[in-house]
Amino acid sequence: MSLRTESPTGIRTEQRPMAFSRRAFWRGVRAAWGSAMILLTGAVVHAGVVSSEPPWGPPLSMIIISLMYGLPLGALGITVASLAGAPLAWLIGSSLARVRGVWVHLTAFAVYGAVWAVTLTAAYLAFFGTPISTALSSPYLAVIAVGSALVVAAGWGWTVRQSRREAEFAPR
């Protein structure tokens, strides 16, 4: 079956029970992106509240300012990170297609999300002159790594759930 005419059930076989279609893969990328945007929105609102003491202004105005600047810039960063990380995510998913254990997949994608986020963040900071040792010792990097681990695993989990739901109702 070609990738262009695949069925809603995907391309799973007994030998490759966790195989996925191109459609399912991009659904996972979009789900991880959407989860990251939700997390980013919460982080930006939190930053607005935390920075809302004098002389900056009341909480509502700081939240609005934080959202105006933080969301577009964050969305751009998340989009670039998602698209740049997609080929490696495809390879990880393909290499795990024979493994049935859901926890193995969730763990692999969570670790991938954390490592990818740390790598991109450290590279970004190094590009602007921050020493790598300083970048890697930042407590914010741990928060970014945990958040990225959660959103990548959530994207994978949501996609698997949707694929299984489609397979249930697919014509046989």
Side-chain angles (χ1 to χ4, degrees):
M1 175 181 318
S2 88
L3 288 176
R4 294 189 187 276
T5 60
E6 65 199 20
S7 72
T9 59
I11 53 176
R12 289 183 212 97
T13 64
E14 281 297 316
Q15 296 79 24
R16 296 173 48 88
M18 298 298 278
F20 53 90
S21 64
R22 190 180 302 168
R23 178 176 169 247
F25 174 77
W26 287 109
R27 178 191 295 156
V29 172
R30 288 189 309 271
W33 183 90
S35 298
M37 288 302 297
I38 291 168
L39 191 62
L40 173 68
T41 303
V44 168
V45 167
H46 175 73
V49 169
V50 168
S51 64
S52 66
E53 56 192 46
W56 301 107
L60 184 59
S61 64
M62 288 310 297
I63 290 170
I64 291 170
I65 290 170
S66 296
L67 288 171
M68 281 177 32
Y69 291 101
L71 278 184
L73 293 173
L76 177 64
I78 290 168
T79 302
V80 169
S82 297
L83 294 175
L88 188 53
W90 178 275
L91 288 174
I92 292 168
S94 295
S95 69
L96 292 174
R98 296 182 187 278
V99 178
R100 285 188 189 276
V102 170
W103 287 106
V104 173
H105 290 262
L106 280 173
T107 302
F109 280 100
V111 168
Y112 169 63
V115 169
W116 186 242
V118 167
T119 302
L120 290 180
T121 304
Y124 173 82
L125 292 172
F127 179 77
F128 287 104
T130 303
I132 294 293
S133 60
T134 304
L136 293 177
S137 64
S138 170
Y140 295 114
L141 195 58
V143 173
I144 291 169
V146 168
S148 296
L150 290 174
V151 301
V152 172
W156 182 89
W158 188 81
T159 299
V160 168
R161 185 171 173 232
Q162 289 300 112
S163 294
R164 286 181 177 170
R165 186 175 289 159
E166 285 178 357
E168 276 182 43
F169 298 108
R172 308 235 184 251

